[in-house]
Amino acid sequence: MGETPLAPEPEGQVSDAVKGNWVDHRAPAWSRPYLRLSRADRPTGTWLLFFPCLMGLSLAILSDNILTLHDLWTVVACFAGSFLMRGAGCTWNDITDRNFDGQVERTKSRPIPSGQVTVKGAVIWMLVQTLVAFGILLTFYPTAIYLGIAALVPVMIYPFAKRFTWWPQVFLGVAFNWGALVGWTAHTGSLAWPAVVLYVSGITWTLFYDTIYAHQDKEDDALIGVKSTARLFQEQTPKWMLGFLIATVSLMGAAAILVTLDRSPLSLVVALAGPWAMGWHLTWQLRVMDMDNPDSLLKLFRTNRDAGLIPLLFFAIAYFV
């Protein structure tokens, strides 16, 4: 018997989209280019933006030992805001990078360089997403609202960072982990040191996982003159990533200690187990990483969704012990 022919890829599918994703197979045809522009077909980034929000909220709840229905709304609002602002940020990134993306194998199929969406259409789509996210933000405390608005600054700067620094991943970390500050203040109404320490731990985590991501494009980036930590570190990448791993676990552990000092010893131990377990996941990533295999690198990058979920589970348990 002959082999069953493979089903053709959906028209306009982006090369690094998750296979079988809902955008390419279930979304209305007219919406697909815009949802691809928002990376809805590549959801890992949304989780990586959402988890710092949950971590900030979780540590705030551990800090004052108060859990209310408003916190449930905060979770829903942060998820919606993460989806929308990740979409708006990625749209902005594709607008500013449209000339670069057409020269990189992995990104030339994106909606703007492939002609699925015009620049004008992308700008309108970006504004729509931003305005809806702002409406959600207005349901928070004033301090959280101000922090949410301030997050637009690193989001706007990030796409240009790879043009002037070898450390664009720092700018991504600053933008992607802002939710740790917003999640904390959405619960408490004010900012405090544990949230700041958690925020910095998120930046070092981003340096870890986005260096993995950047190794996919290092050859194309070198040809067009785009900078990244992958190109900067080269063969020394594992040593640098080990440093980011240690910093992430240490800083997140310090934040957990700060919020559990007045709780039971068991609560402190469980909360600390979260960063520790996450560290083992990152250690596994470091051990199996193949810096010259783009497909493997993309799969490994996506596992950071699971890495971010680990400390959240321990923080939740710590509240009840």
Side-chain angles (χ1 to χ4, degrees):
M1 295 179 65
E3 293 184 0
T4 302
L6 296 175
E9 298 291 353
E11 182 180 355
Q13 181 174 350
V14 178
S15 64
D16 58 352
V18 175
K19 302 306 178 185
N21 69 83
W22 69 275
V23 172
D24 291 328
H25 294 272
R26 296 181 182 85
W30 63 267
S31 69
R32 291 175 186 174
Y34 296 96
L35 291 171
R36 290 168 184 148
L37 199 57
S38 297
R39 311 285 200 274
D41 54 345
R42 288 150 284 170
T44 301
T46 298
W47 292 111
L48 295 177
L49 193 62
F50 178 49
F51 284 158
C53 301
L54 285 189
M55 290 179 191
L57 175 62
S58 299
L59 291 190
I61 293 171
L62 281 173
S63 178
D64 63 15
N65 202 36
I66 298 173
L67 179 62
T68 68
L69 283 176
H70 185 267
D71 295 315
L72 177 60
W73 164 246
T74 300
V75 172
V76 174
C78 283
F79 180 78
S82 296
F83 179 85
L84 290 164
M85 286 310 300
R86 190 246 181 159
C90 289
T91 303
W92 170 243
N93 184 81
D94 283 9
I95 291 170
T96 59
D97 282 357
R98 59 189 183 276
N99 296 325
F100 287 139
D101 285 347
Q103 303 176 60
V104 176
E105 183 64 29
R106 185 178 60 83
T107 59
K108 66 182 183 181
S109 59
R110 286 178 176 176
I112 295 178
S114 65
Q116 297 180 55
V117 178
T118 65
V119 173
K120 180 180 178 180
V123 170
I124 294 172
W125 179 236
M126 177 183 68
L127 293 175
V128 168
Q129 293 173 96
T130 304
L131 288 173
V132 175
F134 179 67
I136 295 172
L137 183 65
L138 291 177
T139 65
F140 289 169
Y141 286 116
T143 303
I145 294 173
Y146 300 145
L147 283 169
I149 294 171
L152 291 175
V153 175
V155 169
M156 297 293 284
I157 294 174
Y158 166 66
F160 301 101
K162 55 184 170 286
R163 294 163 168 82
F164 63 80
T165 178
W166 288 101
W167 294 84
Q169 281 68 30
V170 172
F171 288 83
L172 180 67
V174 169
F176 246 59
N177 294 280
W178 206 272
L181 307 178
V182 175
W184 176 283
T185 54
H187 175 83
T188 65
S190 61
L191 199 57
W193 279 112
V196 176
V197 175
L198 176 67
Y199 174 59
V200 179
S201 78
I203 295 174
T204 57
W205 178 34
T206 302
L207 279 163
F208 182 95
Y209 66 65
D210 205 59
T211 296
I212 295 175
Y213 192 84
H215 267 284
Q216 297 177 91
D217 301 327
K218 58 190 174 186
E219 294 181 2
D220 287 330
D221 287 349
L223 289 174
I224 62 180
V226 169
K227 298 178 174 67
S228 72
T229 51
R231 289 191 60 208
L232 176 64
F233 301 155
Q234 299 183 42
E235 297 305 317
Q236 298 299 312
T237 291
K239 293 181 180 179
W240 281 93
M241 290 180 63
L242 178 60
F244 299 145
L245 186 162
I246 294 171
T248 299
V249 173
S250 300
L251 289 165
M252 192 179 294
I257 291 172
L258 288 172
V259 300
T260 53
L261 285 175
D262 295 329
R263 299 180 64 87
S264 70
L266 181 57
S267 181
L268 170 61
V269 170
V270 172
L272 278 174
W276 177 82
M278 180 185 184
W280 279 109
H281 192 289
L282 301 185
T283 300
W284 166 78
Q285 292 184 47
L286 190 56
R287 188 176 68 250
V288 302
M289 180 179 64
D290 181 352
M291 294 187 293
D292 298 315
N293 186 332
D295 291 337
S296 174
L297 288 167
L298 180 58
K299 292 177 181 177
L300 194 60
F301 163 76
R302 288 173 175 165
T303 67
N304 280 278
R305 180 200 63 178
D306 302 329
L309 182 62
I310 291 170
L312 284 169
L313 293 175
F314 282 92
F315 293 161
I317 296 170
Y319 175 78
F320 295 101
V321 299

